[in-house]
Amino acid sequence: MAWILSLALGYLFGSVPFGLILTRLTGAGDLRAIGSGNIGATNVLRTGRKGLAAATLLLDLLKGLAAVLIAAHLWPVWAPLAALGAFLGHCFPVWLRFKGGKGVATTAGVAFGLAWPVGLAYALTWIGLLATVRISSVSGMTAAVVAPLAAFVLGYPEAGLVLTVIAALVLFQHRENIARLRAGTEPRIGSGKNK
């Protein structure tokens, strides 16, 4: 029963659509009708409101972190399932007909919650690539792949297992971005076309 509760707790936290809520509250419109239609920070950035995008990113990260920390307190053994639940909740929220975001910021949060050194590896990869390559999808996907590798190397095998599953799902969520990368048409941050 504890594993179900942990997974459900994570899903409930992850399914809070902060990007959609913030854009509506600030009069920026329905985020699902903008750009890619995703509810994450990258799509919020398409509204032209950088502060709003930053707030979305932070809140999406914090909901993943909170889910794991609370589950770790209540059911320590099953905290990794809360991490998976938070990711699934963000990407496939029942309230939005299972159309959410791509899970990059939420993955950062759960990585920090599972093991802060792994979260740090994720964040450094994500931010470093974003600053240099300036392609959101590349930085997010690479960070997602680095996280489980870092977990195994640093001695967090349970975190490594769940982060491997999450990394595979992150790549799946970015399948259209991968196609654009292969075609050489994936836009860079600041181009106004980022999806």
Side-chain angles (χ1 to χ4, degrees):
M1 186 58 133
W3 72 269
I4 295 175
L5 292 173
S6 187
L7 187 64
L9 174 74
Y11 184 88
L12 287 173
F13 269 79
S15 66
V16 179
F18 284 114
L20 182 61
I21 292 170
L22 290 176
T23 50
R24 281 190 171 176
L25 287 177
T26 56
D30 188 340
L31 189 58
R32 294 168 296 179
I34 299 170
S36 64
N38 289 319
I39 62 169
T42 300
N43 205 38
V44 175
L45 190 60
R46 288 180 58 84
T47 67
R49 302 188 183 188
K50 294 181 180 179
L52 210 57
T56 300
L57 188 151
L58 180 61
L59 289 169
D60 283 347
L61 187 155
L62 289 176
K63 71 184 182 184
L65 175 63
V68 174
L69 292 182
I70 292 171
H73 177 72
L74 297 174
W75 315 286
V77 175
W78 300 111
L81 280 184
L84 179 59
F87 177 85
L88 293 174
H90 177 78
C91 296
F92 312 106
V94 64
W95 334 110
L96 302 179
R97 298 182 180 179
F98 304 103
K99 182 172 175 55
K102 295 182 179 177
V104 174
T106 303
T107 301
V110 302
F112 272 108
L114 290 168
W116 72 263
V118 177
L120 184 60
Y122 183 102
L124 290 175
T125 303
W126 184 20
I127 295 169
L129 282 175
L130 199 59
T132 54
V133 179
R134 298 192 62 79
I135 300 177
S136 179
S137 60
V138 170
S139 59
M141 288 188 291
T142 305
V145 171
V146 165
L149 296 176
F152 286 121
V153 169
L154 296 172
Y156 302 98
E158 295 85 2
L161 288 173
V162 74
L163 288 170
T164 297
V165 174
I166 289 174
L169 291 169
V170 167
L171 295 178
F172 173 77
Q173 288 293 91
H174 284 82
R175 57 197 182 280
E176 293 179 2
N177 302 85
I178 292 171
R180 287 194 295 271
L181 285 166
R182 294 183 67 176
T185 58
E186 180 75 338
R188 296 177 184 272
I189 290 288
S191 70
K193 300 178 182 179
N194 216 2
K195 294 184 181 180

